[in-house]
Amino acid sequence: MVILSTEEKAIVARLLTEKGGFRPAITSFLPYLLPVLVLALYGIVQQEYFACALAFFALFTIVVWYIHHTETYSGQLRSALQKYESEVQALGVDREPT
């Protein structure tokens, strides 16, 4: 029997329940991206280079945060899949070769 940690269970449950696709993904990032875009547009229109630099720094921070979050998420998912794979192998279930 596969015993997953609490974090692994949460990742698997989230993947099974969340909607995939571009629209849900962009909608979830709008609260982060919209202020940055407004600041960047303001900086461009008013020729405020500090505002443009601040918008770039904010966008850079969002990207770094996303990469960190994704790596943590991937590690938990990889761990859950390894447990699943070892359980399948222990049961001797035939699978299609990958």
Side-chain angles (χ1 to χ4, degrees):
M1 181 161 129
V2 177
I3 300 174
L4 301 177
S5 70
T6 305
E7 294 85 10
E8 292 166 346
K9 287 178 185 177
I11 296 294
V12 170
R14 182 175 170 195
L15 282 174
L16 292 175
T17 58
E18 74 181 12
K19 279 188 162 183
F22 180 75
R23 186 175 297 173
I26 199 72
T27 303
S28 68
F29 273 93
L30 274 181
Y32 305 105
L33 296 178
L34 197 57
V36 173
L37 291 174
V38 169
L39 182 61
L41 287 174
Y42 169 80
I44 291 169
V45 169
Q46 296 294 325
Q47 294 183 349
E48 289 281 341
Y49 300 114
F50 180 73
C52 289
L54 189 60
F56 174 79
F57 178 73
L59 189 57
F60 179 78
T61 303
I62 290 169
V63 169
V64 169
W65 169 80
Y66 180 75
I67 291 169
H68 171 72
H69 177 73
T70 302
E71 186 56 36
T72 303
Y73 184 83
S74 296
Q76 297 288 341
L77 183 58
R78 187 176 302 111
S79 175
L81 290 173
Q82 286 172 345
K83 289 178 182 178
Y84 171 79
E85 183 65 21
S86 66
E87 186 72 20
V88 168
Q89 287 177 355
L91 292 173
V93 176
D94 289 333
R95 296 181 302 115
E96 300 261 337
T98 55

